[in-house]
Amino acid sequence: MFDIDVNGTVYTVEEDLDLLDWLRQKLRLTSVKNGCGEGVCGACTVLVDGWVRRACQLSTAKVAGRKLVTVEGLPERQKEIFARAFAKAGAVQCGFCTPGMVICAKALLDWNPDPTAQEIREAIRHNICRCTGYVKIEQAIALAARVLRGEDGLVDFTKTRAITL
Ligand code: FES
Ligand code: FES
């Protein structure tokens, strides 16, 4: 039996379960997507103690005692800024990859609030998007970074359309 903190709530788990299934089916954290189940696409990316990890490659036993964060657990302001920035930049088409991209972006910006374009590119380099060609996602992350730093009013909350990640 072991404890896992997910988005600030501690859960006691008795079995060693597939982490992705447990997050999606038991906790209903459906932002965590199953794109490949093989550690290739990045759609299942979560933070484990602040590090980017692939939930499909982990089990509940492997994250015993750890703190996990999914998009659902981001602070409301960050959620809003990422959602608006991705919408504004046109970085969401089907949206399947978006939560994984946002988790990678959060990990980057927590460590480096003012990243270069190259650093943004590297932060999402292992995540696959079939729709956007990546440039708009990189622009969205740069925009979110500027807004989080308080340097940019480009995200006009009255004019951009809210999206749900
Ligand atoms: S579902 Fe985990 S990397 Fe694709
Ligand atoms: S927006 Fe469709 S996979 Fe990225």
Side-chain angles (χ1 to χ4, degrees):
M1 188 182 295
F2 32 81
D3 290 342
I4 305 169
D5 182 322
V6 183
N7 296 334
T9 301
V10 176
Y11 299 89
T12 300
V13 186
E14 298 186 359
E15 302 168 78
D16 189 12
L17 304 168
D18 179 274
L19 181 63
L20 178 54
D21 288 345
W22 182 67
L23 291 171
R24 285 184 58 83
Q25 290 166 19
K26 180 77 176 168
L27 303 192
R28 296 286 171 201
L29 296 171
T30 53
S31 76
V32 190
K33 307 295 187 205
N34 187 348
C36 67
E38 296 179 350
V40 174
C41 72
C44 65
T45 303
V46 298
L47 294 181
V48 178
D49 288 344
W51 295 93
V52 167
R53 294 287 181 261
R54 299 190 168 200
C56 72
Q57 299 298 291
L58 294 170
S59 68
T60 50
K62 285 183 179 162
V63 295
R66 307 288 183 184
K67 288 185 193 300
L68 274 59
V69 175
T70 70
V71 163
E72 290 89 343
L74 297 189
E76 286 306 316
R77 178 171 177 268
Q78 283 188 8
K79 245 189 261 185
E80 181 84 3
I81 287 172
F82 280 122
R84 304 273 181 180
F86 272 65
K88 183 97 175 177
V92 180
Q93 289 187 29
C94 79
F96 193 82
C97 70
T98 309
M101 295 290 186
V102 167
I103 288 293
C104 289
K106 177 182 169 49
L108 170 67
L109 300 182
D110 282 352
W111 164 74
N112 176 6
D114 191 7
T116 64
Q118 181 62 26
E119 287 168 334
I120 293 173
R121 215 166 291 131
E122 284 176 10
I124 61 167
R125 72 190 184 284
H126 296 306
N127 285 40
I128 293 172
C129 175
R130 293 170 303 177
C131 309
T132 65
Y134 302 99
V135 172
K136 290 177 179 176
I137 295 173
E138 292 162 16
Q139 291 170 341
I141 295 170
L143 174 57
R146 289 198 298 276
V147 176
L148 285 164
R149 294 196 305 271
E151 292 174 7
D152 202 314
L154 278 175
V155 177
D156 182 343
F157 282 15
T158 64
K159 290 183 182 160
T160 53
R161 190 166 53 88
I163 57 169
T164 303
L165 296 176

